[in-house]
Amino acid sequence: MSVPTAPSAVRAAPVSRALLAAFGLATAVDLVSLLAGAEPGHQIAKPLLMPLLAAYAVSRGAPGPLVAALLFGWGGDVLLLSDADPAFLLGMGSFAVGHVCYLVLFGRRRTSPALGAPYAAALAGTVALLWPDLPAELRIPVAGYALLLTAMACRAGSLGLLAGLGGALFLLSDTLIATGVAAWPRPPASDFWIMLTYTAAQYLLTTGALRAMYGESRTNV
């Protein structure tokens, strides 16, 4: 049985399409700028990503915790544009609050028990390997953040495959950032891969959440 589309959702469809298209355009500009080494393009496009995705989510009737998670992600995005150590810690803190919002969103929905072991192993292995190479003052904050991020990634599967994939990509994106903090060798164009996996993660979490809560009618715009 299909989920009925509310009249307000029908009226919002053109706005939703425009916002989603704007998010896609800003994402493309950001990724191309990173590949081309055009820092001004990245500086302009990155702060637009999460507000556009949050506005799209609002136009689809998203619950408050989802919108809050995206806006705290925006706070982290803006803060991480700076290379200063305090900005990194504040940005990580903003993302951490966003993960708490996602955990509130997931509520008591059940996650497959089979996901717990691999995510726990990934957390323990990553922290153990990074620990010696992290700056001493960042070890505890990074480990605490990694625990919260892994919990969010694991629990995201409670909203279905799309959200679960989004959680996994978020974990991958932030792991790439952590390897840079630890001064590990990183792949070519690492900033491109970080932003590609991050924007895909936030989009999949948003789409997966809307689909799980409201059905196809709120995501097929």
Side-chain angles (χ1 to χ4, degrees):
M1 182 175 64
S2 61
V3 178
T5 303
S8 59
V10 174
R11 290 194 298 270
V15 174
S16 297
R17 292 192 189 100
L19 289 168
L20 193 58
F23 169 72
L25 177 60
T27 299
V29 169
D30 188 50
L31 295 177
V32 170
S33 297
L34 288 171
L35 284 176
E39 184 63 20
H42 174 60
Q43 294 280 336
I44 292 170
K46 185 180 180 183
L48 298 176
L49 297 173
M50 290 307 106
L52 287 170
L53 188 56
Y56 164 74
V58 169
S59 76
R60 295 283 86 195
L66 174 58
V67 177
L70 294 172
L71 293 179
F72 278 109
W74 169 70
D77 288 345
V78 172
L79 286 163
L80 291 185
L81 285 172
S82 170
D83 293 329
D85 288 342
F88 177 80
L89 286 171
L90 289 171
M92 186 166 58
S94 188
F95 277 118
V97 177
H99 296 323
V100 171
C101 293
Y102 273 126
L103 289 170
V104 172
L105 175 69
F106 304 150
R108 296 184 178 180
R109 292 176 177 83
R110 297 185 63 183
T111 305
S112 171
L115 290 175
Y119 272 110
L123 170 64
T126 301
V127 172
L129 289 170
L130 289 172
W131 187 270
D133 297 322
L134 290 170
E137 67 277 10
L138 292 180
R139 287 173 179 169
I140 297 300
V142 167
Y145 176 81
L147 176 61
L148 188 57
L149 169 62
T150 305
M152 184 283 292
C154 182
R155 291 282 295 126
S158 66
L159 294 183
L161 180 60
L162 289 180
L165 180 57
L169 287 175
F170 213 136
L171 182 61
L172 174 60
S173 179
D174 279 7
T175 300
L176 288 172
I177 294 176
T179 60
V181 175
W184 283 15
R186 294 201 293 175
S190 59
D191 288 342
F192 168 83
W193 295 112
I194 288 168
M195 287 305 299
L196 177 63
T197 51
Y198 168 68
T199 52
Q202 294 280 39
Y203 171 75
L204 289 170
L205 283 163
T206 299
T207 303
L210 292 173
R211 184 165 296 183
M213 294 176 180
Y214 303 123
E216 298 283 341
S217 64
R218 293 293 183 99
T219 52
N220 292 340
V221 297

